[in-house]
Amino acid sequence: MRKKVTLITGAAGEVGHALVKRLAAEGQNHLITVDLSPLPADLQGLSTHFQEDILNQPFWDRLVADYEIDKIFHLAALLSTRAEYTPETAHRVNVNGTMRLLKLAAEQSQWRGKPVLFMFPSSIAVYGLPDLETKQRYSRVREWEWNYPSTMYGCNKLYCEMLGRYFTQHYRQLSVEKTVTLDFRCVRYPGLISAFTVPTGGTSDYASEMIHAAAQGKPYACFVREGLTIPFMAMPDAVDAMLQLAAAPRESLNHLVYNIGAFSLSAGQIRDLVCRAFPAAQITFEPDLKRQNIAESWPMDVDDSAARREWGWQPKFDAQRTFTEYLIPNIQKRYAGKAQGTRSR
Ligand code: SER
């Protein structure tokens, strides 16, 4: 009999790093992790890891011969800034890669007569507000509003949300056989901030970069203007949201895609919080107008009332707590001995 497993793609990335630890601690299914990179040292031993490209079909064919895939957390993607430099590669990884995983999940669901759970992280990048005035007027966007992404990454995420809906609700709709298909669930993340990893290739990265630079006593030039505001979330909440939605009874869910919010901050407010913790921090603002425009097209905040109502979403970390209880103590530990001018709490 094949072993029942939970599959995590992009496992060595920012969300993957935190999620693999939590899933391993929960100890339900055996974990299979897949990433182009090896797993970082602190994740080793928690899963069976495959250093593979998600576009490699023979790899998936071999994998399903050995394992019964019960749940999928499909995190692998090229983020918004990186995707603008190589849009075709981004499309291949973000869309074709997701399509491949959705197809695999649909086939596995049919084979075992039970839906495979497919968890997908989408993003505020699916939104595209045309100008500042509109951004201020529609400050808390609902899921279906302003779905006009200005980046390849945003387009990819929005389309993959739709593919998830298609595979869950309509795949093989003309088939005469009874079809069991997958159970797709998606959260739209705001900018994520982790104490343990620095993201690569994103546009909301300035928040994390500012904090990690200050903790190491390095100067940082922020690539967006001081007043630019978007929503953010601490990584423990991001992982909680994914696991909470995964555990929600299907009958209680009326949507497939949910906004989730925690707090909104301008780049200047992030600078102030960082400087309070690291008084020696050297933070300046040197906007890169092109990158700034991308972040500027994202909403100031999201309406996450559906998530709150249907599966009890409630962030644990507001801005203050994110800094005082999560970021600062963990970052201080991480860079112990390297940081300069740190104020302890
Ligand atoms: N944090 C992502 C990025 O900046 C958006 O989801 O690309």
Side-chain angles (χ1 to χ4, degrees):
M1 216 172 80
R2 297 179 310 164
K3 193 172 188 176
K4 203 191 253 193
V5 295
T6 294
L7 168 69
I8 304 130
T9 70
E14 261 227 299
V15 179
H17 189 263
L19 184 69
V20 169
K21 284 192 175 170
R22 283 285 296 278
L23 286 171
E26 281 183 1
Q28 285 182 358
N29 289 337
H30 180 74
L31 304 182
I32 298 289
T33 50
V34 179
D35 202 290
L36 278 179
S37 307
L39 282 186
D42 57 336
L43 296 189
Q44 281 172 20
L46 302 181
S47 66
T48 303
H49 185 63
F50 294 91
Q51 199 174 329
E52 276 290 350
D53 184 340
I54 58 163
L55 293 169
N56 178 2
Q57 187 59 41
F59 162 68
W60 295 119
D61 296 342
R62 284 197 305 277
L63 198 80
V64 294
D66 292 338
Y67 297 102
E68 178 192 334
I69 315 262
D70 184 41
K71 297 178 184 163
I72 298 177
F73 292 83
H74 175 42
L75 311 177
L78 264 70
L79 291 182
S80 57
T81 293
R82 177 166 304 166
E84 287 313 297
Y85 291 113
T86 53
E88 283 174 34
T89 305
H91 189 278
R92 258 199 316 279
V93 174
N94 297 355
V95 175
N96 300 1
T98 302
M99 176 79 181
R100 210 154 275 204
L101 267 298
L102 286 167
K103 183 103 191 308
L104 180 148
E107 284 164 3
Q108 289 279 299
S109 303
Q110 182 75 6
W111 178 85
R112 65 182 200 150
K114 189 176 157 209
V116 169
L117 177 69
F118 195 108
M119 299 304 300
F120 185 67
S122 186
S123 158
I124 47 164
V126 301
Y127 297 107
L129 284 308
D131 49 54
L132 251 179
E133 196 200 321
T134 315
K135 178 164 167 155
Q136 271 149 8
R137 183 141 31 100
Y138 297 91
S139 56
R140 265 171 76 79
V141 296
R142 291 175 292 183
E143 280 86 349
W144 61 92
E145 293 175 319
W146 300 105
N147 287 172
Y148 307 112
S150 68
T151 58
M152 179 50 104
Y153 172 77
C155 294
N156 295 163
K157 287 290 184 187
L158 190 58
Y159 176 56
C160 287
E161 291 178 3
M162 296 195 185
L163 282 180
R165 181 182 313 281
Y166 168 76
F167 271 93
T168 296
Q169 296 177 345
H170 308 295
Y171 185 55
R172 300 181 85 229
Q173 55 191 307
L174 300 183
S175 165
V176 287
E177 287 166 56
K178 180 173 172 348
T179 301
V180 179
T181 186
L182 49 98
D183 179 355
F184 176 87
R185 305 180 185 194
C186 166
V187 284
R188 281 188 188 156
Y189 280 136
L192 300 180
I193 312 178
S194 164
F196 304 101
T197 47
V198 187
T200 45
T203 310
S204 60
D205 294 4
Y206 58 88
S208 300
E209 287 170 359
M210 211 186 275
I211 300 161
H212 285 262
Q216 296 170 82
K218 294 183 182 162
Y220 183 71
C222 179
F223 59 81
V224 302
R225 67 182 178 88
E226 243 184 286
L228 189 143
T229 304
I230 58 168
F232 287 98
M233 181 177 289
M235 190 56 81
D237 271 338
V239 171
D240 272 357
M242 187 70 97
L243 294 176
Q244 234 176 296
L245 177 59
R250 181 73 256 172
E251 331 63 86
S252 62
L253 305 178
N254 295 317
H255 299 82
L256 272 67
V257 175
Y258 294 90
N259 277 344
I260 48 168
F263 53 88
S264 291
L265 288 176
S266 68
Q269 286 169 318
I270 299 174
R271 186 260 331 267
D272 294 346
L273 286 163
V274 172
C275 288
R276 222 176 292 157
F278 303 100
Q282 301 161 57
I283 297 165
T284 51
F285 289 86
E286 292 173 27
D288 166 342
L289 293 185
K290 291 184 178 155
R291 250 182 129 184
Q292 173 174 291
N293 280 344
I294 293 177
E296 200 76 278
S297 75
W298 297 345
M300 305 244 265
D301 197 3
V302 292
D303 180 333
D304 59 1
S305 49
R308 288 175 189 255
R309 200 172 50 241
E310 293 178 22
W311 47 277
W313 165 243
Q314 175 77 57
K316 294 195 184 80
F317 291 90
D318 59 14
Q320 200 59 41
R321 208 171 154 216
T322 295
F323 274 80
T324 54
E325 290 181 36
Y326 169 64
L327 290 175
I328 309 302
N330 287 310
I331 283 184
Q332 277 175 340
K333 248 182 264 161
R334 179 177 169 171
Y335 298 114
K338 295 178 216 157
Q340 300 158 12
T342 306
R343 178 183 293 159
S344 299
R345 289 170 183 267

